[in-house]
Amino acid sequence: MKTQKNHLARLDQKYLWHPFTQMQDWLKREPIVIVSGKGATLRDANGKDYLDANSSIWTNLHGHQHPAITSAIQRQLGRIAHSSALGLANEPAALLAEKLVGAARLPQPDLKGNPKLEKVFLSDNGSTAMEVALKLAYEYARRSGLSKNPKFLSLEGAYHGDTVGAVSLGHIDLFHKAYGGLLFRSDKIPAPYCYRCPFNKAKPQRADAREYVQCKRECVGLAEKAFSVQRKKGNPYAGFVFEPLMQGAAGMIPQPKGYLRDVAEIARSNGAQLIADEVMTGFGRTGVGEGRATKAPPLFASHQEGVQPDFMALAKGLTGGYLPMAATLTTQRVFDAFLGKYEEFKTFFHGHSFTGNQLGAAAALASMEILQSPKSIQERRNLETTLRKQLQPLWSVSQIGDMRQVGLVAGIELVKNWQTKEPFALRERAGIRVCEAMAKRGVLTRPIGNVIVLMPPYCTTASEVVRMVSTLGESVRQVFGKGEL
Ligand SMILES: *Cc1c(COP(=O)(O)O)cnc(C)c1O
């Protein structure tokens, strides 16, 4: 038995306040203190190794201490760490903007009205990237005469960050209700959550609900209705805000194939701008899709549905998960709406001290180069296949109700009984207990309510995936007792 608490754990508990954490629980037990990381592994102050099964909260792409990113940051540090983007340009930021615009080109713009993303506004985090998109879309709608009082529509369960504007676009009561008085109103439509969809007539099966759902795509119909009702009110929605292919913080809610393409087309035909929150999904997280290994696959989830948004918010994986940086991409049209003589004051009055930070931009450039290499593409393809294969045996665990994988991310939903889909009450802390059991066995991830997230770094080896998934299975069995089918 260890008797002495780690010095750093003590300081942490004495002084720090952790995000999204009930600090009363935090103070009850000694926290894991991370001191280093390499590849998909994190090491704590006692020398114990863990697999980083959620990529350090969805940020890390290529693993820790990747030599190319580390040396890119070091090289940049040898020149300058930061100078202001207010009034000054710099090399890595300019190169990064070019690289992002190139990566965000839609190869086959087959959806009518798909625009080009040509301008990049840099900031520091995902919430801010969304806040920028929101402000730009709002002002663009007013200046272009689309609406005097722009309104936004987003999906149920949406999470777009924690700043007041981003929270206003979100619909997670647990996080957002308390701040109701600070927020502006935005509307929502049901998310296509096949597993718990009220229109799904199918009995639960031992498969991803998207594969056996029986419905008439009522979710698309409801989207159509929402847009047309709002248009008839004489104030069409200025923007449709969405996490493409998979909603993250909502509980890893995937969209059935074709959903985004159809709803995007409906939104467009009603005059709404498309605001894609690719903070979690961007940079290859949703998979490389079909096709030859060396062909450059789309890096963004929207593009997998043939959708090019008017605004694209990027953060988490932008720097490979090494430094805080974010970007909001938009169109020439939006950019032009902010041009004018100085004294017209059409300027976009928004910015941050660390906008265009050189260290972040250098890391991002290195990360994008890795992403576009044939080796990384092949690695991601293999990882997706391995993860899919390894998850299959978990269908024999009766407390697993749904497993939904999109590319390199999977949500595993815990239930009391797979046949009735009865959920655990939040106060039972089912997800938290399973993740604690996993941590004891050397695998770190964080639940979203009753959903366990597996989101391995792209460098994760097949044997590491096997460990992540088998540890999850063992932990569920240990926490709930044997529940074999
Ligand atoms: C994490 C996240 C955000 C917020 O990003 P931060 O960098 O944490 O502010 C916004 N949208 C989505 C979809 C996210 O997953």
Side-chain angles (χ1 to χ4, degrees):
M1 277 299 284
K2 231 171 2 85
T3 45
Q4 189 125 35
K5 195 181 266 188
N6 178 282
H7 173 60
L8 299 169
R10 221 157 25 83
L11 291 183
D12 177 291
Q13 288 184 318
K14 184 159 183 205
Y15 295 113
L16 277 174
W17 189 341
H18 285 256
F20 282 99
T21 300
Q22 177 42 260
M23 292 307 289
Q24 186 170 305
D25 291 338
W26 179 263
L27 297 175
K28 278 185 200 153
R29 67 177 77 82
E30 183 169 344
I32 296 169
V33 179
I34 298 298
V35 293
S36 66
K38 189 150 192 152
T41 300
L42 295 169
R43 176 163 295 175
D44 79 3
N46 301 317
K48 178 171 168 158
D49 285 342
Y50 302 84
L51 289 174
D52 187 2
N54 76 346
S55 293
S56 295
I57 207 71
W58 319 353
T59 59
N60 192 288
L61 299 187
H62 316 290
H64 302 281
Q65 277 196 68
H66 192 291
I69 304 182
T70 302
S71 71
I73 296 171
Q74 282 168 341
R75 245 181 293 126
Q76 183 56 45
L77 201 49
R79 301 172 74 180
I80 188 171
H82 179 72
S83 62
S84 172
L86 279 76
L88 301 169
N90 77 63
E91 178 181 332
L95 293 174
L96 176 62
E98 181 193 36
K99 192 116 184 139
L100 286 173
V101 166
R105 214 165 273 139
L106 187 62
Q108 277 122 12
D110 50 356
L111 184 77
K112 222 171 66 193
N114 264 335
K116 275 197 198 136
L117 294 172
E118 297 178 279
K119 297 289 169 184
V120 181
F121 192 95
L122 295 172
S123 60
D124 322 319
N125 60 73
S127 310
T128 306
M130 285 303 292
E131 199 86 17
V132 166
L134 170 69
K135 280 182 160 179
L136 288 175
Y138 177 85
E139 196 49 19
Y140 174 79
R142 284 164 25 105
R143 291 182 186 183
S144 65
L146 179 67
S147 173
K148 285 197 180 65
N149 175 25
K151 288 195 69 176
F152 295 86
L153 183 71
S154 46
L155 295 174
E156 212 164 90
Y159 176 76
H160 299 297
D162 294 327
T163 56
V164 167
V167 168
S168 296
L169 296 173
H171 300 288
I172 300 182
D173 276 356
L174 185 65
F175 300 171
H176 299 154
K177 211 169 177 172
Y179 307 107
L182 288 174
L183 310 177
F184 64 83
R185 241 189 80 100
S186 69
D187 292 344
K188 64 180 177 190
I189 46 173
Y193 184 4
C194 297
Y195 181 60
R196 295 201 178 277
C197 176
F199 300 105
N200 179 9
K201 302 268 190 304
K203 281 218 170 67
Q205 293 178 18
R206 305 275 68 199
D208 181 330
R210 286 173 297 168
E211 290 167 19
Y212 62 83
V213 67
Q214 288 173 24
C215 70
K216 300 196 178 97
R217 287 164 51 89
E218 283 87 348
C219 52
V220 176
L222 287 169
E224 189 148 36
K225 188 167 158 212
F227 279 103
S228 98
V229 166
Q230 186 65 27
R231 202 188 48 222
K232 282 179 194 140
K233 285 184 190 163
N235 185 25
Y237 286 117
F240 173 53
V241 185
F242 54 91
E243 295 162 73
L245 291 192
M246 187 175 237
Q247 288 180 276
M252 296 300 156
I253 311 294
Q255 296 153 12
K257 205 167 165 39
Y259 172 84
L260 182 61
R261 175 185 294 253
D262 291 349
V263 177
E265 196 150 6
I266 293 165
R268 277 255 155 74
S269 65
N270 282 281
Q273 300 253 298
L274 299 182
I275 304 174
D277 180 347
E278 295 250 12
V279 171
M280 177 198 87
T281 55
F283 302 106
R285 187 47 79 179
T286 55
V288 295
E290 308 298 317
R292 286 210 339 266
T294 48
K295 219 183 92 206
L299 285 181
F300 302 107
S302 308
H303 294 179
Q304 286 173 268
E305 283 273 307
V307 172
Q308 181 70 302
D310 302 276
F311 299 89
M312 188 189 274
L314 303 170
K316 289 195 170 93
L318 172 59
T319 60
Y322 279 61
L323 287 161
M325 178 171 243
T328 308
L329 273 58
T330 191
T331 61
Q332 185 72 43
R333 198 163 28 166
V334 169
F335 182 81
D336 288 346
F338 289 79
L339 298 180
K341 290 205 187 73
Y342 178 78
E343 62 274 19
E344 291 178 80
F345 302 120
K346 286 176 145 186
T347 306
F348 182 42
F349 291 106
H350 182 111
H352 300 280
S353 312
F354 285 101
T355 296
N357 174 260
Q358 282 97 323
L359 291 179
L365 278 166
S367 171
M368 304 249 330
E369 211 140 282
I370 300 167
L371 273 174
Q372 289 166 334
S373 71
K375 180 168 172 279
S376 169
I377 296 166
Q378 190 54 51
E379 246 173 29
R380 273 133 64 200
R381 197 184 297 280
N382 294 345
L383 180 57
E384 177 173 351
T385 312
T386 309
L387 183 60
R388 199 171 297 283
K389 189 164 149 242
Q390 290 304 318
L391 285 172
Q392 286 312 307
L394 289 194
W395 286 116
S396 71
V397 181
S398 68
Q399 290 90 1
I400 288 176
D402 194 31
M403 288 198 281
R404 27 196 195 250
Q405 181 183 349
V406 175
L408 304 168
V409 42
I412 293 98
E413 182 164 339
L414 304 171
V415 290
K416 284 196 165 160
N417 175 339
W418 75 269
Q419 281 157 316
T420 60
K421 300 195 258 188
E422 187 190 344
F424 288 101
L426 272 187
R427 83 185 104 74
E428 293 178 80
R429 300 166 67 249
I432 297 174
R433 281 154 61 208
V434 167
C435 288
E436 283 171 356
M438 289 173 74
K440 286 217 175 87
R441 293 173 159 83
V443 176
L444 295 178
T445 184
R446 221 179 133 81
I448 306 165
N450 296 326
V451 178
I452 309 295
V453 175
L454 287 183
M455 199 184 294
Y458 301 164
C459 65
T460 306
T461 63
S463 65
E464 288 169 335
V465 177
V466 170
R467 256 185 68 209
M468 286 177 187
V469 176
S470 62
T471 300
L472 168 57
E474 284 161 28
S475 301
V476 174
R477 288 179 179 118
Q478 185 224 313
V479 169
F480 304 111
K482 291 270 178 262
E484 294 307 303
L485 296 186

